[in-house]
């Protein structure tokens, strides 16, 4: 069904994020929000058709003639920006990991808990025994929660099944939930999240299953756009990651990796991966060397920072965002929504952490959460900015100044989300 024409008026500050430059935002361009005060936005057929001041909109001949057919959203002088693009989430799990949470409070760290059978492996049973319908409900619930916080596009990973059947079930659950949600879902196959029990000490056999059984099955059913690998101490090695990426590229998937979260990758690995595999994104990147930062700055690979994980693990160190941005690396921000390290759906919370702990400016945090997230998912032609021709995915915040979005933390100031030109019920 084609949505009715929609006019957003009385926008105090509109953050358009439009750009004359091509490619993801880097360096000083990351903070250019291209703000229009007292703005209006007209959406037709799910797309943005015009962006300007309220005055301009009222003079528009088409609008004058068709005013009665147009439904209106009065934004009450608030801030409007592109819907957030959350480019890294793990929503296919059944239960929160409360035992791990308490163990960490008592002093154990993420790797010790994982070694003792907690961590990712603790989520396997729930997913393996759940019905696909139950998983779908969990994913859908997360998607609705994301919308309430202003997110309209989400990358969603499998990775808590870790067997052929349960990984396919997880991806089918993502597909089923995506059909029931207005926003855009980009599915990622993360069969190489950790080596599942039964394969410990013989990870090579599991990698073979990922490459020879899982990847072809996922490709045949068109269940994912990307393949992700958790390449780190205690998960998969650089060689295993390269093997999986090689197979993924052969099947036509894009690739992305969890890298440098717990330890530095082998020296030279990042450079060789940039050359051979052109990953869409490398995520976490707490541990990085100067020459790797320089190589990333020359590439189109986005570095996706997920400070929610550092916060929730109680770490003092955060990824070196300033180093990346100052060197010209394209940086995105995401929630990393998952039961082990980052149980939050709030992009404003991730942005707040980016400002307070990684010294990103509020403007940089907004561009990283919108247009650069879109670049990290290969969607920048449709998402991430408010420009004619782009999808009408917008979010309205009940604040006067955009800096308030990361400033107020622990409270949700998102009052309206518009997806594909349709205003969803206000979260309040
Ligand atoms: O991004 N590091 C790997 N994956 C997740 C954690 C998953 C979990 O603990 O459940 C992350 O932090
Ligand atoms: Fe993650």
């Amino acid at each position: 069904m084609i949505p009715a024409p929609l006019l957003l008026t009385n926008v105090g500050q509109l953050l358009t994020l439009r750009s004359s430059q091509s490619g993801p935002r880097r360096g000083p361009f990351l903070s250019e929000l291209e703000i229009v005060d007292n703005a209006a936005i007209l959406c037709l057929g799910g797309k943005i058709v015009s962006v300007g001041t309220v005055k301009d909109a009222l003079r528009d001949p088409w609008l004058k003639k068709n005013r009665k057919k147009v439904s209106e959203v009065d934004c009450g002088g608030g801030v409007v920006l592109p819907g957030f693009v959350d480019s890294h989430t793990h929503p296919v799990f059944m239960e929160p990991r409360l035992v791990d949470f308490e163990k960490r409070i008592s002093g154990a760290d993420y790797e010790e808990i994982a070694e003792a059978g907690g961590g990712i492996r603790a989520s396997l049973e729930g997913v393996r025994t759940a019905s696909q319908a139950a998983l779908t409900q969990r994913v859908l619930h997360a998607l609705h929660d994301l919308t309430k916080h202003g997110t309209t596009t989400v990358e969603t990973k499998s990775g808590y099944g870790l067997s052929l059947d349960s990984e396919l079930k997880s991806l089918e659950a993502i597909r089923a939930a995506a059909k029931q949600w207005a926003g855009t879902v980009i599915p990622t196959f993360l069969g190489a999240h950790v080596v599942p029990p039964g394969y410990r000490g013989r990870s090579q056999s599991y990698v073979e299953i990922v490459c020879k059984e899982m990847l072809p099955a996922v490709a045949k059913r068109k269940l994912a756009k990307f393949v992700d690998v958790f390449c780190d101490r205690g998960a998969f090695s650089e060689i295993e990651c390269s093997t999986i990426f090689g197979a993924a590229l052969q099947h036509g998937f894009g690739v992305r990796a969890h890298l440098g979260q717990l330890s530095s990758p082998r020296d030279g690995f990042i450079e060789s991966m940039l050359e051979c595999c052109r990953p869409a994104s490398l995520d976490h990147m707490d541990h990085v060397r100067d020459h790797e930062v320089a190589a990333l700055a020359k590439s189109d690979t986005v570095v996706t920072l997920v400070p929610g994980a550092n916060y929730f693990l109680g770490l003092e160190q955060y990824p070196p965002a300033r180093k990346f941005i100052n060197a010209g690396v394209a940086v995105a921000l995401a929630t990393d929504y998952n039961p082990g390290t980052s149980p939050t759906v709030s992009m404003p919370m991730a942005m707040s952490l980016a400002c307070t702990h990684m010294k990103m400016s509020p403007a940089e945090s907004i561009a990283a959460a919108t247009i650069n997230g879109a670049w990290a998912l290969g969607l920048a032609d449709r998402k991430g900015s408010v420009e004619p021709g782009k999808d009408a995915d917008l979010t309205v915040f009940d604040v006067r100044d955009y800096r308030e979005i990361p400033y107020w933390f622990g409270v949700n100031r998102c009052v309206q989300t518009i997806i594909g030109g349709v205003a969803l019920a206000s979260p309040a």
Side-chain angles (χ1 to χ4, degrees):
M1 215 177 68
I2 298 171
L6 182 76
L7 181 71
L8 279 82
T9 54
N10 199 10
V11 179
Q13 276 187 335
L14 168 63
L15 317 181
T16 67
L17 278 296
R18 66 187 163 210
S19 172
S20 49
Q21 304 246 326
S22 67
R25 299 294 192 93
R26 301 169 191 275
F29 295 111
L30 190 62
S31 46
E32 288 190 6
L33 301 180
E34 294 290 339
I35 299 173
V36 181
D37 292 327
N38 303 319
I41 308 155
L42 180 63
C43 312
L44 283 180
K47 299 277 178 192
I48 294 164
V49 292
S50 71
V51 176
T53 60
V54 173
K55 255 192 192 158
D56 290 341
L58 296 178
R59 279 198 294 256
D60 182 287
W62 184 90
L63 198 57
K64 272 188 184 160
K65 216 167 110 200
N66 293 281
R67 196 66 192 260
K68 286 213 179 82
K69 289 189 210 148
V70 175
S71 49
E72 254 181 58
V73 172
D74 182 338
C75 298
V79 172
V80 173
L81 67 159
F84 297 121
V85 178
D86 190 347
S87 56
H88 181 147
T89 77
H90 306 248
V92 200
F93 63 88
M94 288 305 287
E95 301 297 336
R97 288 218 297 270
L98 303 176
V99 174
D100 293 10
F101 183 43
E102 285 191 323
K103 277 190 180 169
R104 233 176 1 259
I105 293 165
S106 307
D109 73 17
Y110 184 71
E111 290 179 86
E112 286 162 357
I113 292 168
E115 263 308 298
I120 296 164
R121 291 181 193 92
S123 293
L124 294 193
E125 203 195 315
V127 168
R128 287 180 177 181
T129 55
S131 66
Q132 190 182 301
L135 282 175
T136 302
Q137 282 314 308
R138 298 307 293 238
V139 177
L140 191 56
H141 194 268
L143 294 175
H144 287 315
D145 267 356
L146 283 150
T147 320
K148 286 183 200 156
H149 293 81
T151 296
T152 54
T153 297
V154 191
E155 184 257 15
T156 54
K157 304 174 198 292
S158 66
Y160 294 115
L162 309 187
S163 67
L164 176 63
D165 288 352
S166 59
E167 283 297 305
L168 292 177
K169 180 173 66 179
S170 298
L171 290 167
E172 294 283 7
I174 290 174
R175 173 135 80 193
K179 279 198 187 132
Q180 297 172 60
W181 186 57
T184 301
V185 171
I186 301 296
T188 292
F189 168 59
L190 176 55
H193 203 178
V194 283
V195 179
Y199 291 89
R200 296 195 85 174
R202 43 188 204 100
S203 55
Q204 258 315 314
S205 315
Y206 183 67
V207 170
E208 217 173 290
I209 292 174
V210 169
C211 294
K212 301 217 169 112
E213 294 178 26
M214 297 190 191
L215 278 175
V218 174
K220 189 169 165 219
R221 292 167 178 76
K222 296 191 172 32
L223 282 168
K225 173 171 176 178
F226 291 103
V227 169
D228 193 342
V229 175
F230 182 15
C231 178
D232 215 321
R233 196 164 66 197
F236 293 89
S237 70
E238 290 84 349
I239 294 179
E240 291 166 335
C241 179
S242 304
T243 306
I244 295 167
F245 277 6
L249 293 170
Q250 273 183 7
H251 282 287
F253 294 105
V255 296
R256 52 203 317 115
H258 285 68
L259 199 68
Q261 179 184 15
L262 308 169
S263 61
S264 295
R266 182 175 51 67
D267 205 357
F269 178 61
I270 289 189
E271 281 91 340
S272 73
M273 201 172 27
L274 291 177
E275 199 166 310
C276 76
C277 310
R278 296 174 166 267
S281 172
L282 297 176
D283 301 23
H284 287 279
M285 299 292 275
D286 297 57
H287 300 273
V288 69
R289 303 175 185 89
D290 287 347
H291 63 82
E292 294 164 339
V293 173
L296 286 159
K298 283 195 216 117
S299 79
D300 284 332
T301 295
V302 175
V303 166
T304 301
L305 304 174
V306 291
N310 299 64
Y311 165 77
F312 191 70
L313 295 180
L315 305 182
E316 274 162 31
Q317 291 295 317
Y318 281 70
R322 284 262 57 91
K323 206 181 235 191
F324 286 124
I325 295 167
N326 296 346
V329 176
V331 163
L333 274 175
T335 60
D336 195 9
Y337 172 66
N338 78 74
T341 67
S342 192
T344 180
V345 290
S346 169
M347 286 295 275
M349 180 67 197
M351 291 153 62
S352 185
L353 292 169
C355 295
T356 55
H357 287 272
M358 303 198 299
K359 308 303 172 204
M360 287 172 68
S361 68
E364 288 173 336
S365 78
I366 288 171
T370 53
I371 187 66
N372 274 11
W375 279 103
L377 298 180
L379 294 176
D381 56 332
R382 289 166 51 202
K383 310 283 183 189
S385 64
V386 183
E387 296 178 84
K390 285 219 177 174
D391 293 350
D393 293 352
L394 303 155
T395 182
V396 185
F397 274 70
D398 179 21
V399 295
R400 303 292 116 190
D401 182 308
Y402 72 84
R403 291 171 295 187
E404 292 180 71
I405 298 173
Y407 171 91
W408 301 109
F409 76 95
V411 60
N412 187 12
R413 301 262 169 203
C414 170
V415 288
Q416 178 91 70
T417 303
I418 289 108
I419 302 185
V422 176
L424 305 182
S426 124

